[in-house]
Amino acid sequence: MNKATIEPDCTGQFSSFFIDYIHQKPALSPFYNQFPKIENFAKIIAERKFDGKKREVLVKALLSQYSEVEDLALTKAQIEKLGLETTFTVTTGHQLNLFTGPLYFIYKIVTTINLAKKLKEAYPKFEFVPVYWMATEDHDFEEINYFKLDGKKYQWQTEQKGPVGDFKLEESFKAFMKTVAFAPSFFKEAYLSSKTLSEAVRKYVHHLFGEKGIVVVDGNDANLKRQFIPVMREDLVNETPHELVNAQTAKLDALGYKSQIFPRPINFFYMEDGLRERIEKKGTQYFVLNTDLKFEEAEFLDMVENSPEKFSPNVVLRPLYQEQILPNLAYVGGPAEVIYWLQLKVMFDHFETPFPVVMPRNFAAVLDVPTVRKIKKLNLSPQDLFRDFTDWKKEFVSKHSNVDIHLVGEKKKLQDLFDQAALSARSIDPTLESAYASAKVRATKILDQLSVKVRKAEERKFGEELDRMKAVQAYFFPGGSPQERVENFMKFYLSDNDFVEKLFGLFDPFDFDFMVLASDDK
């Protein structure tokens, strides 16, 4: 594939908050630790101390989590490296979308793996393990129960509730699998050999990226959560994260930046089989919303100590939890994730937890051969792909028309005629000059209306070219949304099994430009 790049500012796809961050606007510097440059990792590595006992817990938990996965030699070696004080992680996270969901899931992991490789080249004395954090505790099933391919939506329906990682792949899922017979065999093997959704996702991620050193982490683990107990108590009793993040958010609001997340007084869910609901406190009692469960404070805090797995952090506390159980240096995320991490640094400082480098993932759109050919026929630049169709159409027709569709010459002649006539009339009666001026305006408007008709007539003449551009943009923005947020990677993988491998050679984790990847037109 060939690669062209466009500065994010020129795409219209990103918020001013995100653009200011990647351009290192000074006003944002208090909200992060180090900017994502390869040379800045030297300081991060020097500062990142991680307790040996925590490493032991992590290694043991991961080996247990991988108990159902085959071909583990490389992955086991990666996990065991995490027991060494010279090993660090770089992490990305995502929901358990069916069949990987949209393309950017793949982009996140490729960016993270490439980051680990780049760091190893720059700092050879250390080891860097790329991590995919599975959002197994999320309970919004409607966000992840489908994928889209070539305009069609494939969706699994089930009545199960609670954290999606625990969803059983029962009869309804087996029926759903019959609708996706085209899926590669590794997907079928992962899903049909697994009891739960989280087990299946671990297996297919391992198949796609295991040889690249990826380690999949499930934070829904009692032993890992036990290390987070002090934060649980602080949030449940003192509501400290709520206070800290609100103060940080207010500072960003004062700078004109729109927040992505909003802390609650309590930032944990209560979680059991088939249940994940918010916790609220009234007086000395804790209530689990949408249930009859309620607890006195002493009873609830005793549960924190003895059953920490029942407490699930929300989006405000999940990043802190991740950093407390991983020897992590960087988090790779999308634009919205980058923004909400910047709301959290003050909370990390309070809990004396190092704040990681916040890395934007790579951004890309992939063009197939028919689309590449259309682009060549229209002589489009990469920037043209992001343009508003109506604006592009007017410019294209004006540039390629054999006539002056704007009737510029005619308007000039008409205006000159009225101006000359007004001069003559003024010598007869000065008040006639304003009458001629008004008539000139009316006549010019008539020519404007005629120019619209001329332009539309020319557009009909260029109908084939305009339809070609519509097809290009429909491919680039399916349904009006960026391709990477809609299409599943099977769109390209099914015709080219090397598709993912090619991305590794094209993506640079320290290049934040948008990439247009064009298939070779042979």
Side-chain angles (χ1 to χ4, degrees):
M1 286 188 286
N2 301 309
K3 180 172 79 171
T5 59
I6 303 101
E7 291 186 1
D9 315 47
C10 303
T11 66
Q13 303 296 302
F14 304 101
S15 69
S16 60
F17 194 161
F18 179 76
I19 294 296
D20 286 349
Y21 174 68
I22 62 174
H23 287 327
Q24 303 178 68
K25 188 173 181 179
L28 287 176
S29 61
F31 299 93
Y32 58 89
N33 187 355
Q34 295 290 325
F35 188 76
K37 293 181 178 180
I38 191 72
E39 60 270 22
N40 289 348
F41 276 86
K43 185 176 181 181
I44 293 290
I45 292 170
E47 293 176 346
R48 189 59 164 118
K49 308 300 180 185
F50 197 72
D51 184 74
K53 291 182 179 179
K54 285 189 173 184
R55 289 183 181 272
E56 291 177 12
V57 173
L58 177 63
V59 170
K60 185 177 180 180
L62 290 175
L63 290 174
S64 175
Q65 290 180 14
Y66 268 88
S67 61
E68 300 295 327
V69 181
E70 299 177 352
D71 301 321
L72 269 185
L74 177 57
T75 303
K76 186 176 180 181
Q78 289 285 85
I79 292 172
E80 290 175 345
K81 284 180 186 176
L82 293 171
L84 306 174
E85 64 177 10
T86 54
T87 299
F88 301 95
T89 61
V90 290
T91 302
T92 192
H94 199 68
Q95 297 166 297
L96 307 188
N97 295 74
L98 289 190
F99 291 81
T100 75
L103 267 167
Y104 72 88
F105 170 84
I106 299 293
Y107 296 169
K108 275 185 168 183
I109 296 184
V110 172
T111 305
T112 305
I113 292 171
N114 276 356
L115 174 59
K117 182 180 178 181
K118 290 263 188 182
L119 289 174
K120 180 60 178 176
E121 293 170 354
Y123 305 97
K125 293 181 180 180
F126 301 93
E127 297 293 334
F128 305 92
V129 175
V131 165
Y132 161 51
W133 180 285
M134 289 196 296
T136 57
E137 298 178 33
D138 281 3
H139 61 271
D140 195 342
F141 181 60
E142 298 301 319
E143 286 189 358
I144 62 106
N145 71 340
Y146 68 93
F147 69 94
K148 293 181 179 179
L149 183 62
D150 292 328
K152 184 174 180 179
K153 186 176 183 178
Y154 298 86
Q155 190 169 22
W156 171 34
Q157 300 288 0
T158 179
E159 297 301 317
Q160 297 178 71
K161 304 292 183 182
V164 296
D166 292 341
F167 276 28
K168 304 295 188 294
L169 302 181
E170 24 75 304
E171 292 305 316
S172 69
F173 189 82
K174 293 175 182 177
F176 164 72
M177 286 294 290
K178 294 179 181 179
T179 68
V180 291
F182 53 81
S185 60
F186 71 84
F187 272 134
K188 296 175 183 177
E189 291 169 5
Y191 282 114
L192 297 178
S193 68
S194 300
K195 295 178 182 178
T196 64
L197 185 57
S198 61
E199 182 183 339
V201 172
R202 185 187 303 276
K203 287 179 179 178
Y204 74 61
V205 171
H206 178 73
H207 174 89
L208 286 167
F209 301 106
E211 292 185 359
K212 299 289 186 180
I214 197 77
V215 171
V216 179
V217 174
D218 183 352
N220 188 8
D221 185 293
N223 290 322
L224 294 176
K225 283 191 174 177
R226 192 159 284 114
Q227 300 172 72
F228 205 49
I229 287 175
V231 176
M232 292 180 184
R233 294 181 64 90
E234 185 80 9
D235 184 72
L236 292 168
V237 177
N238 299 321
E239 302 179 359
T240 304
H242 175 252
E243 178 183 339
L244 293 171
V245 177
N246 268 344
Q248 188 87 326
T249 299
K251 292 178 182 178
L252 287 166
D253 289 344
L255 293 173
Y257 295 117
K258 185 178 179 181
S259 302
Q260 285 290 321
I261 58 174
F262 302 92
R264 297 182 181 276
I266 293 177
N267 293 285
F268 280 96
F269 293 87
Y270 181 84
M271 192 165 67
E272 291 183 348
D273 290 341
L275 175 69
R276 186 177 187 250
E277 292 286 352
R278 282 201 304 111
I279 300 167
E280 286 192 353
K281 185 179 182 181
K282 298 177 183 177
T284 62
Q285 288 187 318
Y286 292 88
F287 294 81
V288 179
L289 297 187
N290 302 313
T291 75
D292 296 326
L293 295 172
K294 61 181 179 179
F295 306 89
E296 292 295 334
E297 183 173 289
E299 179 187 9
F300 212 47
L301 295 181
D302 184 64
M303 190 184 299
V304 167
E305 296 292 334
N306 296 306
S307 302
E309 68 277 6
K310 292 187 176 183
F311 297 86
S312 176
N314 69 2
V315 67
V316 172
L317 286 177
R318 185 208 55 77
L320 182 64
Y321 174 46
Q322 169 191 298
E323 297 303 309
Q324 287 202 354
I325 66 172
L326 295 176
N328 199 49
L329 302 179
Y331 182 79
V332 176
E337 290 177 288
V338 167
I339 288 172
Y340 79 63
W341 273 82
L342 299 193
Q343 293 179 246
L344 304 178
K345 184 177 180 297
V346 65
M347 183 176 65
F348 278 72
D349 294 341
H350 174 83
F351 289 104
E352 298 181 343
T353 303
F355 193 72
V357 176
V358 182
M359 301 270 306
R361 66 169 172 84
N362 285 123
F363 307 96
V366 184
L367 306 177
D368 63 3
V369 170
T371 304
V372 170
R373 290 174 179 169
K374 291 182 179 73
I375 289 171
K376 287 182 178 178
K377 287 181 179 179
L378 292 171
N379 194 29
L380 298 174
S381 69
Q383 289 81 1
D384 287 333
L385 300 175
F386 293 92
R387 293 190 59 186
D388 176 76
F389 175 76
T390 301
D391 292 341
W392 175 86
K393 176 179 66 174
K394 290 178 180 179
E395 183 178 304
F396 179 87
V397 171
S398 177
K399 180 179 179 181
H400 292 87
S401 177
N402 293 324
V403 299
D404 175 12
I405 64 172
H406 300 294
L407 304 181
V408 175
E410 287 80 356
K411 290 177 185 177
K412 180 66 168 58
K413 291 178 181 177
L414 180 67
Q415 290 167 353
D416 288 345
L417 178 64
F418 273 97
D419 288 343
Q420 292 172 4
L423 287 174
S424 300
R426 185 173 60 184
S427 62
I428 302 172
D429 183 349
T431 62
L432 290 175
E433 185 174 12
S434 61
Y436 274 89
S438 297
K440 182 175 72 171
V441 170
R442 293 194 298 271
T444 301
K445 287 182 177 179
I446 292 173
L447 284 182
D448 286 338
Q449 294 169 357
L450 289 174
S451 72
V452 171
K453 294 182 177 181
V454 172
R455 176 173 57 79
K456 289 183 176 180
E458 284 293 277
E459 288 175 4
R460 289 192 291 272
K461 189 174 75 174
F462 289 107
E464 182 178 350
E465 288 82 358
L466 300 185
D467 287 343
R468 193 173 289 145
M469 180 58 164
K470 287 179 182 177
V472 167
Q473 290 203 324
Y475 193 90
F476 203 68
F477 292 100
S481 296
Q483 181 196 73
E484 62 177 16
R485 303 194 67 84
V486 177
E487 292 286 5
N488 184 268
F489 91 107
M490 284 191 285
K491 182 179 183 71
F492 309 102
Y493 181 87
L494 289 173
S495 59
D496 181 5
N497 290 167
D498 292 328
F499 170 70
V500 176
E501 184 63 33
K502 290 175 180 177
L503 296 180
F504 284 102
L506 295 164
F507 282 17
D508 178 351
F510 293 99
D511 184 352
F512 309 135
D513 284 349
F514 193 104
M515 291 175 286
V516 177
L517 308 178
S519 300
D520 295 325
D521 183 8
K522 296 181 180 178

